[in-house]
Amino acid sequence: MYKLLLVDDEPEVTEGLMMEIDWESCGFSEVKTAGNGKEAMELVEKMEPDVLITDISMPYMNGLELSDWVKKMYPITRVVILTGHDEFEYAKQAINLQVEAYVLKPFSGSQLTDTVLQVKRRMDEEREMRNNVELLQEHYRLTLPIVREKFLSSLITRHQSLASIREKAEKYGMELEGDGYVVSVISVLHSDKPEEEPDPQNAFSSIKDLDLKLFSITNIASEIWTRHKLGKVFIHQDQVVLFTVSPLGQVDEVMESTQDALKEILQSIERFLRLPVMIGVGTFTRDIRSLKYSYEAAEVALDYRRILGINQIICIDDMEDRVQEKLIFDEWKEQNLVRSIKVGTEQELSDVIDELFEDIARVQAPVQVHNFEHYLLEMVTAIIKLSKMIDDGTNPIFASGILDQYQKLNTLNETKAWFADLCSKVRSRIASRRQHSYKHIVEEAVQFTKSHFGDRELSIAVVCAHLHISTGYFSSLFKKEVKMTYGAYLLQLRMEAAKEYLRTSELKTFEIAEKVGFADPNYFSLCFKKYAGVSAKEYRSGLTESSR
């Protein structure tokens, strides 16, 4: 069932339509009416209708202005315009293609019912399409190979948490669990220029389509890689990438099995495709999150083709001293830690800290004690930097001597507990300051509104421009803190001020309307009666009678 808002300034029209049309049988469980655009805006914020039906000619805010506002603030709301023949072309030009339907006046209840049912049918079709599990499953099945390849590419181009990698691997049906990983890259020497003397014995020598060459190489590599039970093969940025995923944790054994399979692949390419290629082999790692570094090392290995030539397997460990796996507190790890402190839950922060200390346990080599020290100090330094960013100097988060505290720690578990406590203190301070900031923004908005509510131009946009924040952010923040929308608060403020003027002054109604920010006295009278339950005149009369 859907929600609908009907806007027309003629009460007899809205009342007639409410009586004549069986809205529930049309699929609408909640139907409300408004007599003008301003009133409609308040209702839209409260009910968020699925369909808005609005007349164009209305006081205070016409239907086109209302529709434009709704499309900006609630873009999925369907809009139906009620318009006369003389306004039709104007309406089409003003709203362009954002309107679901136009209903020309005069119209009958059955005509509007037909239009509403058409809109409802289109919403049903869209909802059914989005909720059609079989269709979604079929679409997912067809796109799964592409999704898998994108996921594999993401492992060598950006960092992800271990939990995220495992979750996606399981979701996509990919076995990536292992104790040793290596990334290798096959790059084909390709040119778009025509060959002077194409090889008649080899059809591939005359192919100018790089994608076809990569596809052919991938077929050969995949068959061999699968037979050796080594891992995954995929195309990434005009190269063929091979993941070695090994249950073995010994560097020599993993690198040997990788290079044995690569030799077979290279020989097959030379024999069957006769394409000039280079193969780069990256560094060994025990951490699947470090495949990015292994890939980058394989890319560096390819640069040595200028020395060694093409149709070679170039292992970076043979060319550079990169054998020892190192602990690296890189930019991504720092950003992930800082993010979890700033906006993460306690559990998310705990998980990040667990992963950081698991890295230390994973790299087991006594000779790397200095590497451990650097890694831990970089983590602590990241927290100190964050604390300085949020401290105003009046109440430091950490007392002096934080590094002295670090030096007194004896075990890794002690260090982890101490570091987690540092993170927790910074997280608590950020949460406290954020809450204070929220209250400060709302308090400043309230004070500004109280000082300027008599300005007829005052709006949420004006307030946000004064506060230098976005309207979307402010709207949700104000509603959360004050428990009402900003529009409702401004109206309440103006109405209470109007009551005060009626109680304490002899000002005429139109003068009071102007003083509390209404450009149109008639609209003020409409709003006051709706707010107070009586007209301004009746309200003042009631005060006079009660004082007798």
Side-chain angles (χ1 to χ4, degrees), residues 149-206:
E149 196 157 297
K150 280 190 173 183
F151 168 58
L152 293 172
S153 291
S154 74
L155 294 177
I156 59 173
T157 54
R158 62 184 177 86
H159 289 283
Q160 301 172 66
S161 69
L162 194 58
S164 175
I165 293 171
R166 285 172 173 166
E167 179 186 348
K168 289 178 181 177
E170 182 179 358
K171 179 180 177 181
Y172 302 147
M174 307 176 74
E175 180 53 58
L176 294 177
E177 289 293 329
D179 289 326
Y181 302 89
V182 181
V183 178
S184 305
V185 177
I186 303 175
S187 179
V188 59
L189 190 64
H190 176 76
S191 174
D192 292 325
K193 296 179 181 179
E195 299 253 356
E196 292 183 3
E197 295 183 9
D199 184 355
Q201 303 298 319
N202 181 26
F204 279 94
S205 65
S206 60

Side-chain angles (χ1 to χ4, degrees), residues 333-352:
K333 288 181 180 178
E334 181 173 352
Q335 289 175 350
N336 197 33
L337 176 62
V338 169
R339 184 206 62 78
S340 66
I341 291 173
K342 283 183 173 180
V343 298
T345 63
E346 287 187 19
Q347 186 58 52
E348 286 172 335
L349 175 58
S350 177
D351 290 344
V352 170

Side-chain angles (χ1 to χ4, degrees), residues 33-49:
T33 62
N36 58 72
K38 293 280 190 181
E39 183 183 350
M41 286 176 67
E42 297 174 26
L43 280 171
V44 167
E45 288 186 332
K46 290 178 181 177
M47 66 182 294
E48 297 187 18

Side-chain angles (χ1 to χ4, degrees), residues 295-356:
Y295 170 70
E296 290 169 353
E299 289 280 88
V300 173
L302 289 176
D303 291 338
Y304 283 92
R305 68 182 182 277
R306 297 178 179 86
I307 299 172
L308 301 177
I310 61 174
N311 292 334
Q312 299 283 336
I313 298 172
I314 307 170
C315 185
I316 192 64
D317 289 343
D318 294 335
M319 311 308 299
E320 300 179 2
D321 183 18
R322 293 185 178 226
V323 174
Q324 195 177 61
E325 186 177 10
K326 295 180 179 179
L327 278 169
I328 303 173
F329 186 72
D330 56 19
E331 183 181 358
W332 179 84
K333 288 181 180 178
E334 181 173 352
Q335 289 175 350
N336 197 33
L337 176 62
V338 169
R339 184 206 62 78
S340 66
I341 291 173
K342 283 183 173 180
V343 298
T345 63
E346 287 187 19
Q347 186 58 52
E348 286 172 335
L349 175 58
S350 177
D351 290 344
V352 170
I353 293 172
D354 285 346
E355 285 191 2
L356 290 172

Side-chain angles (χ1 to χ4, degrees), residues 2-15:
Y2 301 102
K3 294 180 287 185
L4 181 143
L5 176 60
L6 176 62
V7 189
D8 196 296
D9 69 330
E10 298 180 31
E12 63 274 13
V13 173
T14 53
E15 288 175 13

Side-chain angles (χ1 to χ4, degrees), residues 377-414:
L377 285 172
E378 285 175 335
M379 288 163 53
V380 173
T381 301
I383 300 304
I384 294 174
K385 285 194 299 183
L386 179 58
S387 70
K388 285 184 176 180
M389 287 173 59
I390 63 173
D391 264 341
D392 55 13
T394 59
N395 183 21
I397 298 176
F398 304 127
S400 58
I402 190 170
L403 295 180
D404 290 337
Q405 296 175 25
Y406 169 75
Q407 292 295 333
K408 294 176 183 178
L409 300 168
N410 296 314
T411 67
L412 195 60
N413 285 338
E414 279 185 19

